[in-house]
Amino acid sequence: MPGIAGIIDFSAEKGSFEHAIKRMTSLLNNMSLCIEETVCDRNVAFGTARLKDYPYNSLIAEDEDSIIAFWGYLWDENELKHLLESGKDLASQHVSHVILKLYRDKGAEAVCKLNGRFV
């Protein structure tokens, strides 16, 4: 079943939880129809499992300061893409990239107003 797992540990050394996040992500993949993806950086690790036929290559978006994992649906995804359009073609990007851009441009308050069903 698709899903997201995450670890935040400010006392850990970088990379010390790479094995743990990979194990957590593999537990999400109980159908062997999923592709697993993990990202570890500083004190944060994300793991995702997505269906092989999911139309996007990744559920994780990252830039120099932030990482986000998103799985679900936004009812107003197209409107958000139009609102945030800026040289980069958001139309072909997974919604996680759109949410990361929203967070970077408008702050955490804007992310709190997302309309959809998601984790």
Side-chain angles (χ1 to χ4, degrees), residues 9-21:
D9 186 349
F10 293 109
S11 65
E13 293 184 25
K14 181 179 179 179
S16 65
F17 39 70
E18 188 169 350
H19 177 72
I21 196 65

Side-chain angles (χ1 to χ4, degrees), residues 48-88:
T48 65
R50 64 175 172 80
L51 295 175
K52 287 182 181 178
D53 61 352
Y54 194 69
Y56 300 100
N57 292 332
S58 176
L59 301 179
I60 297 176
E62 58 185 308
D63 64 15
E64 62 279 351
D65 296 322
S66 304
I67 301 172
I68 185 173
F70 178 92
W71 183 74
Y73 302 97
L74 290 180
W75 310 138
D76 55 355
E77 179 180 345
N78 290 332
E79 290 84 359
L80 278 175
K81 286 180 179 181
H82 180 70
L83 173 72
L84 298 170
E85 195 67 53
S86 62
K88 184 177 178 183

Side-chain angles (χ1 to χ4, degrees):
M1 180 169 169
I4 297 172
I7 300 171
I8 299 174
D9 186 349
F10 293 109
S11 65
E13 293 184 25
K14 181 179 179 179
S16 65
F17 39 70
E18 188 169 350
H19 177 72
I21 196 65
K22 287 184 178 187
R23 180 153 161 62
M24 291 167 70
T25 304
S26 71
L27 292 172
L28 293 171
N29 187 1
N30 59 5
M31 302 183 318
S32 73
L33 297 172
C34 293
I35 295 174
E36 300 169 22
E37 178 182 15
T38 60
V39 173
C40 296
D41 190 25
R42 288 175 264 168
N43 303 95
V44 176
F46 278 118
T48 65
R50 64 175 172 80
L51 295 175
K52 287 182 181 178
D53 61 352
Y54 194 69
Y56 300 100
N57 292 332
S58 176
L59 301 179
I60 297 176
E62 58 185 308
D63 64 15
E64 62 279 351
D65 296 322
S66 304
I67 301 172
I68 185 173
F70 178 92
W71 183 74
Y73 302 97
L74 290 180
W75 310 138
D76 55 355
E77 179 180 345
N78 290 332
E79 290 84 359
L80 278 175
K81 286 180 179 181
H82 180 70
L83 173 72
L84 298 170
E85 195 67 53
S86 62
K88 184 177 178 183
D89 182 21
L90 289 175
S92 63
Q93 296 292 319
H94 181 264
V95 70
S96 61
H97 294 276
V98 176
I99 295 170
L100 182 58
K101 180 155 180 39
L102 177 70
Y103 171 73
R104 302 303 277 161
D105 289 357
K106 311 278 185 189
E109 175 115 2
V111 175
C112 293
K113 295 178 183 176
L114 292 174
N115 181 16
R117 183 175 177 188
F118 52 85
V119 292

